[in-house]
Amino acid sequence: MEGIRSSTRSRDLLRKIKEFTLSILEDLSEGLSPLIFIQSFRTYCTNLDLICSCRSNQPSGHEILTFQKESHVHRIDVLLRVLLIVQQLLQENKHASKRDIYYMHPLIFSDQSVVDRAINDICILLQCSRHNLNVVSVGNGLVMGWLRFFEAGRKFDCINSPNTAHTVPVLVEDVKDLVSAALYILVVEKESVFQRLENDKFCSKNRCIVITGRGYPDVPTRRFLRLLVDKLCLPVYCLVDCDPYGFDILATYRFGSMQMAYDAKFLRVPQIQWLGAFPSDSENYDLPKQCLLPLTIEDKRKTEAMLQRCYLHQEVPDWRSELELMLQRGTKFEIEALSVHSLSFLSEVYIPGKIQEIKSICQV
Amino acid sequence: MDISSVQKLCIDLISSAVQRCRLSEDLCRLSVVLKSSPPIIRVSISDTGTGSCLEEFQDLKCNREGIGTEKWDGLLSIKTTSISDNKIYHYHLNLRGSVSARRLTRLPSILKNDAKFSGTEVCLSISETIDALLNDIKHYFQKMLILKIPSVAAELVIERGDASGLRCQNVFLPNECSPLNFSSSNVERLKSGLEEYVLKHRNSLNNKCDSCFCSREKLKISSGVARSMESHRSPGLIVEAVIAISEHSESLCFRSSGNKTEVLHFKDFSPSSVSIASLNALTSIDWRSYGLTLVSAVDQVDHALIEWESLPPYLHIDMVIHCYHKQVITFPGKCKYQPDRHLIKKGVKLALDDLKEKHTGLLLSAHAVKICSYAPDLASSIAGIILSSNDVKFRSKCSLLLELSQSQEIGKQTVEDRIKEKIISVIETNDRKPEKIKEAAPFLFEDDRPQDLDPADLYLEEHEGGDDVFSFPD
């Protein structure tokens, strides 16, 4: 993705780690408290009055960590510990997951989120992505369809068996010889929908690639999707439940997550389109009232908070209208509700219909 | 009540004598002679200070109601002369007489015949046990020594008129343990006085205790002086505070009064009682920024007693506060102006800050101590990064910065200890800076304040596969 060979990248990062350590020692030897500048990034803001720069990939500000505040010192302590581990991983060319790192000092780290934050801080400090630090996680995503590639020597031939699911590769760098005969990529929110499509042999009748993150997509899934989009230049459609969490997952694919904001430009897929399900689908497809669930108080709070996000006003106002409609009606429904008419309604009617609609809009 | 009044009367008379000595610019002698012929003690207080005027003695009248006539008949015999007088005036003053009656009796003056001197002698007879009075006077003089008033030499003479006919004499001279010359400021003297007081285990010994204080560094002393503005309405007031911190690594004579501090009070160069302003000042100081926690501050008549929550073992704190007018005044009793709480607080704070400034690591605030507790961890991680690096040049650059030898065989412990030292020293240095500098650096960009983000967005825990609807892996 960055086009730089990994060994050069490692050397680069090791050099930056050494420079960082030397600067701390220099400050200490002069009797000064070390200052650590960490830039802050965000994928959206809630300041709707101004035209914001959230999409510019630039940092939105910075924090300065010092030895003068106890909370900072704790954060620096964790950061240094993780940095030590990262240096060892890079020097020995080994990989570890975030969970592995957590278990190296569980008493100091006290919680996985503490480690996650330190890893993000280090990525920002060293200006790299997480996988550059040799910190990886097993991908949680699944892919099937008209696709073939090699991952670290093993062949994944989905073209021969397009309805067989494979796990998303952990390291996108290991993906070679990507070949596809697909016409589009379909991203689905849930594993249950993925299985529905698998079962209905959706990929036999439709030349596409189906991918799922099984909920909020993890980094390997997002990076893989990004690779597919960049290499294959295919349209991408996203199918999520008609509820606040589904919408949030869609937003994560499109704009990136706040947690990984510093790497958002490599992880987001701006071309992704919202296929469904829309609140208006409940009428258009005659969903019986029992399939519509009421929005809970949490759901409403979440929806109201999401409506404040700057990109819903500046980039995708049409998405905002649908979300407002959901809030107005006070109801939500899952994709599975579309099976009320028939089990294969989703694969045979809904999805192809929606895709046809989008194509015809684009042609106009 | 009666008993202490008689002693207080004597002390007040001695106190006035001290003021008169201070007013005079020469060296003065102050003598207190107690002639005991039981049950009567004849007390004679004489000084070679400036002459006194009668108003001084009229003022004593108000406090004498409490003294029973059996203790004192109310008569004072006064002989006084100023340097410009050519006679010594002699009076009998009857403070128990009614207002217009002949309280004052003039006796024949004594001619000075061109001799130039000044002084006062006050005599009275009281019915009291000599030991109680003696204790109080001795105590008073010992406290006076802390002030180290340069120009006054005091002596206490006791003549026992009983069978033994003993005459003994105690002389109270400001002792010169440390060099002080005539031009030392009042606060320097106070420091020196407190130092001696502490070295002698609060005057329980005659000389400094060598076993506890074999090296000078065991005792750390600092001072703070706060002045109020002079105006036509209020005179200039000065508050001097001196703090002494002693650390005994092992002490044979150290009594376990560990968690308490006696705060001695002086007012206008005389030991005084504790004022409410002073107690308020002591309780309102932010002791936490000096690493101390105050439990209580109580008035114990001649000193204030502070109880601390917990002090490091073998650490003891002594304090003295002296409030006085810039101009020497002859009638301290008449003074209406008291230093307010703020002035006293300022003086004590200045002394505490001075102590921190001079001795790094002393009186570290609770906040700094907490941060120092991270130092071993931080040092360990940094040492780990240095030592586990493949790069030899990097390691030797680090050794150079840490002032360690360049040889390859540096142990991890040495590196860690050196880094830890430096971190602690930086934290201690930062702790000394005044609060103003500790404000957070101003935000460079307007939008730097963290926005109110949806909490679900940040740092969610990773869940295993399973529940596929609401899993938040990342």
Side-chain angles (χ1 to χ4, degrees):
Chain A
M1 196 164 287
E2 293 76 32
I4 303 175
R5 290 167 55 99
S6 62
S7 58
T8 326
R9 192 79 206 219
S10 288
R11 271 207 302 276
D12 216 28
L13 290 175
L14 284 169
R15 179 181 52 84
K16 286 189 182 174
I17 293 176
K18 285 181 271 194
E19 279 166 9
F20 176 71
T21 314
L22 277 172
S23 80
I24 292 185
L25 287 182
E26 273 160 10
D27 282 342
L28 285 177
S29 65
E30 283 167 33
L32 299 169
S33 167
L35 297 171
I36 302 178
F37 287 77
I38 301 191
Q39 291 172 322
S40 9
F41 293 84
R42 59 178 183 222
T43 44
Y44 65 81
C45 63
T46 49
N47 190 349
L48 301 175
D49 299 328
L50 310 167
I51 308 292
C52 64
S53 56
C54 294
R55 226 79 42 231
S56 68
N57 297 328
Q58 294 305 311
S60 59
H62 64 269
E63 287 177 272
I64 305 176
L65 303 182
T66 67
F67 280 8
Q68 261 138 305
K69 283 197 173 158
E70 197 186 340
S71 57
H72 287 185
V73 174
H74 179 67
R75 197 164 149 190
I76 296 174
D77 191 18
V78 174
L79 193 152
L80 287 172
R81 272 185 189 269
V82 176
L83 196 62
L84 171 57
I85 296 170
V86 163
Q87 180 178 257
Q88 285 164 338
L89 291 175
L90 290 172
Q91 281 182 166
E92 294 163 31
N93 203 19
K94 292 212 174 107
H95 295 81
S97 73
K98 293 187 308 175
R99 200 68 181 158
D100 290 333
I101 295 178
Y102 167 73
Y103 277 114
M104 288 182 195
H105 303 282
L107 291 173
I108 309 275
F109 292 148
S110 77
D111 196 63
Q112 181 66 51
S113 58
V114 171
V115 174
D116 295 352
R117 184 186 217 184
I119 293 174
N120 283 4
D121 286 344
I122 294 173
C123 287
I124 295 174
L125 267 177
L126 306 182
Q127 291 169 316
C128 65
S129 299
R130 184 194 295 168
H131 61 274
N132 298 129
L133 301 177
N134 282 9
V135 177
V136 294
S137 46
V138 176
N140 212 17
L142 296 173
V143 66
M144 67 178 172
W146 293 76
L147 183 66
R148 193 182 68 203
F149 59 90
F150 286 84
E151 185 200 350
R154 287 186 300 162
K155 188 177 179 187
F156 286 84
D157 193 350
C158 309
I159 297 184
N160 272 333
S161 51
N163 294 302
T164 314
H166 295 270
T167 52
V168 161
V170 170
L171 276 182
V172 139
E173 284 73 20
D174 292 346
V175 172
K176 307 264 182 277
D177 294 338
L178 188 66
V179 168
S180 170
L183 298 172
Y184 60 86
I185 301 172
L186 179 64
V187 179
V188 300
E189 173 191 344
K190 300 190 301 202
E191 186 177 7
S192 56
V193 177
F194 187 90
Q195 280 171 357
R196 176 86 264 124
L197 298 176
E198 216 181 340
N199 224 267
D200 290 348
K201 307 231 185 302
F202 182 79
C203 291
S204 303
K205 300 163 201 163
N206 301 277
R207 290 234 255 126
C208 64
I209 299 170
V210 183
I211 186 168
T212 178
R214 293 204 265 193
Y216 279 88
D218 57 23
V219 170
T221 307
R222 285 196 260 165
R223 292 188 70 214
F224 187 67
L225 177 63
R226 182 61 187 261
L227 176 72
L228 293 180
V229 168
D230 288 345
K231 283 254 153 73
L232 305 176
C233 305
L234 297 172
V236 192
Y237 307 115
C238 186
L239 187 62
V240 292
D241 286 346
C242 182
D243 63 22
Y245 289 93
F247 186 85
D248 203 12
I249 288 170
L250 169 70
T252 303
Y253 277 112
R254 170 79 189 249
F255 298 106
S257 67
M258 201 54 107
Q259 203 175 326
M260 299 295 290
Y262 64 89
D263 229 8
K265 65 179 183 283
F266 297 120
L267 295 173
R268 61 176 175 230
V269 181
Q271 309 91 317
I272 202 168
Q273 296 170 79
W274 190 6
L275 193 73
F278 301 114
S280 41
D281 286 347
S282 60
E283 289 113 41
N284 298 345
Y285 292 87
D286 289 323
L287 282 184
K289 284 268 171 2
Q290 342 28 320
C291 296
L292 301 176
L293 304 165
L295 288 177
T296 65
I297 299 186
E298 258 319 301
D299 288 337
K300 290 196 184 143
R301 217 177 286 158
K302 187 167 171 70
T303 312
E304 278 157 13
M306 287 196 292
L307 283 168
Q308 298 297 311
R309 294 185 191 174
C310 58
Y311 50 60
L312 286 188
H313 296 258
Q314 289 160 23
E315 310 263 332
V316 282
D318 43 338
W319 289 14
R320 196 182 89 234
S321 322
E322 290 293 338
L323 196 61
E324 278 168 351
L325 188 60
M326 190 197 300
L327 189 61
Q328 237 173 47
R329 291 184 177 188
T331 53
K332 58 181 179 182
F333 63 88
E334 297 183 354
I335 293 283
E336 284 91 326
L338 292 167
S339 304
V340 74
H341 302 295
S342 79
L343 212 50
S344 49
F345 184 78
L346 189 66
S347 338
E348 287 170 7
V349 183
Y350 185 80
I351 297 177
K354 283 285 182 184
I355 292 177
Q356 198 54 47
E357 244 179 75
I358 292 184
K359 276 204 197 138
S360 52
I361 293 172
C362 291
Q363 276 157 11
V364 165
Chain B
M1 200 47 188
D2 283 335
I3 301 166
S4 58
S5 295
V6 158
Q7 273 114 332
K8 189 164 188 318
L9 172 65
C10 294
I11 301 280
D12 280 350
L13 289 169
I14 299 175
S15 189
S16 305
V18 170
Q19 304 305 328
R20 288 193 294 269
C21 290
R22 281 193 66 226
L23 268 177
S24 143
E25 276 149 24
D26 294 325
L27 282 171
C28 297
R29 171 194 52 81
L30 170 68
S31 274
V32 177
V33 181
L34 304 176
K35 282 204 189 105
S36 147
S37 22
I40 303 278
I41 307 177
R42 181 108 183 120
V43 181
S44 156
I45 300 164
S46 61
D47 67 83
T48 57
T50 57
S52 55
C53 54
L54 285 174
E55 278 97 56
E56 275 180 59
F57 302 103
Q58 311 286 37
D59 273 343
L60 293 174
K61 163 176 69 121
C62 357
N63 307 350
R64 297 325 126 213
E65 314 305 333
I67 305 178
T69 35
E70 73 284 359
K71 293 269 177 203
W72 177 44
D73 53 9
L75 273 175
L76 286 177
S77 162
I78 303 164
K79 285 193 189 126
T80 182
T81 179
S82 312
I83 207 134
S84 49
D85 293 336
N86 53 8
K87 297 185 227 188
I88 302 177
Y89 299 100
H90 190 183
Y91 311 103
H92 270 180
L93 193 59
N94 185 348
L95 289 178
R96 289 204 194 270
S98 53
V99 181
S100 53
R102 317 257 229 91
R103 277 204 270 129
L104 189 67
T105 319
R106 274 180 212 275
L107 295 170
S109 314
I110 305 159
L111 286 173
K112 272 158 83 171
N113 295 328
D114 293 333
K116 289 265 179 227
F117 58 87
S118 65
T120 307
E121 183 188 358
V122 179
C123 298
L124 64 158
S125 297
I126 54 175
S127 171
E128 184 53 84
T129 53
I130 192 162
D131 293 312
L133 185 61
L134 200 55
N135 262 341
D136 273 10
I137 295 179
K138 265 195 182 166
H139 194 61
Y140 175 88
F141 276 124
Q142 278 172 341
K143 273 190 142 187
M144 283 298 289
L145 277 181
I146 296 178
L147 288 171
K148 288 207 168 187
I149 303 172
S151 50
V152 180
E155 65 175 351
L156 175 62
V157 180
I158 302 132
E159 290 177 16
R160 290 180 194 267
D162 53 17
S164 54
L166 275 175
R167 187 179 203 272
C168 66
Q169 188 170 331
N170 293 17
V171 179
F172 297 90
L173 274 176
N175 227 339
E176 307 300 337
C177 277
S178 56
L180 274 184
N181 52 31
F182 225 66
S183 57
S184 290
S185 64
N186 290 330
V187 72
E188 289 297 314
R189 292 176 196 288
L190 193 59
K191 268 167 89 165
S192 172
L194 185 67
E195 185 181 3
E196 265 180 51
Y197 178 75
V198 175
L199 288 175
K200 290 187 196 164
H201 282 315
R202 291 157 207 96
N203 285 350
S204 54
L205 302 173
N206 282 331
N207 284 308
K208 90 176 174 126
C209 177
D210 280 320
S211 62
C212 293
F213 297 104
C214 48
S215 72
R216 260 264 129 76
E217 291 95 57
K218 297 275 188 151
L219 193 61
K220 302 183 165 77
I221 303 202
S222 71
S223 61
V225 181
R227 295 186 172 86
S228 77
M229 303 287 278
E230 265 179 86
S231 71
H232 66 278
R233 266 180 294 154
S234 65
L237 291 171
I238 300 180
V239 171
E240 290 172 357
V242 176
I243 302 181
I245 295 195
S246 42
E247 298 168 291
H248 316 266
S249 44
E250 29 169 282
S251 165
L252 307 158
C253 8
F254 189 56
R255 283 163 298 164
S256 57
S257 53
N259 278 0
K260 300 203 169 82
T261 291
E262 284 181 4
V263 183
L264 304 172
H265 283 71
F266 290 88
K267 192 156 100 66
D268 287 300
F269 292 88
S270 206
S272 83
S273 58
V274 181
S275 64
I276 301 204
S278 177
L279 277 182
N280 282 345
L282 289 172
T283 40
S284 69
I285 291 177
D286 176 25
W287 294 102
R288 280 188 68 80
S289 60
Y290 302 102
L292 298 166
T293 315
L294 183 103
V295 171
S296 63
V298 169
D299 183 353
Q300 305 266 33
V301 181
D302 68 339
H303 60 262
L305 191 67
I306 293 183
E307 192 176 341
W308 308 105
E309 187 174 279
S310 65
L311 280 182
Y314 311 120
L315 192 82
H316 198 86
I317 305 178
D318 286 277
M319 233 188 275
V320 64
I321 298 178
H322 183 196
C323 312
Y324 60 95
H325 290 78
K326 220 163 154 205
Q327 313 290 341
V328 183
I329 54 168
T330 38
F331 316 142
K334 268 189 123 159
C335 171
K336 292 192 211 68
Y337 298 105
Q338 305 288 336
D340 68 351
R341 175 181 87 132
H342 299 287
L343 201 65
I344 299 177
K345 184 173 171 180
K346 186 171 168 197
V348 176
K349 280 196 75 170
L350 284 169
L352 287 166
D353 290 336
D354 185 35
L355 204 55
K356 269 183 99 151
E357 188 66 42
K358 289 203 289 226
H359 304 278
T360 342
L362 196 61
L363 296 180
L364 265 191
S365 67
H367 174 255
V369 170
K370 262 198 236 161
I371 297 189
C372 278
S373 65
Y374 284 94
D377 253 5
L378 293 165
S380 160
S381 307
I382 298 176
I385 294 179
I386 296 171
L387 293 170
S388 66
S389 168
N390 290 340
D391 187 342
V392 175
K393 278 202 209 134
F394 167 67
R395 288 205 305 268
S396 51
K397 255 196 236 175
C398 292
S399 302
L400 201 63
L401 280 172
L402 292 172
E403 295 149 9
L404 291 170
S405 82
Q406 300 289 321
S407 74
Q408 297 291 353
E409 335 296 313
I410 313 171
K412 179 161 201 274
Q413 200 55 52
T414 325
V415 178
E416 255 186 66
D417 289 341
R418 179 57 55 89
I419 298 177
K420 187 166 76 163
E421 247 172 63
K422 290 199 179 275
I423 293 177
I424 292 182
S425 136
V426 166
I427 296 171
E428 287 175 355
T429 314
N430 281 340
D431 198 42
R432 278 192 283 173
K433 292 195 189 134
E435 282 302 318
K436 305 184 260 223
I437 298 182
K438 280 195 197 165
E439 276 169 23
F443 290 115
L444 292 175
F445 303 102
E446 273 174 35
D447 280 340
D448 269 5
R449 273 159 287 257
Q451 304 272 346
D452 283 322
L453 302 167
D454 191 336
D457 282 356
L458 298 172
Y459 302 112
L460 301 163
E461 268 194 279
E462 198 158 49
H463 292 273
E464 298 303 292
D467 182 13
D468 64 2
V469 178
F470 297 117
S471 55
F472 312 146
D474 216 342

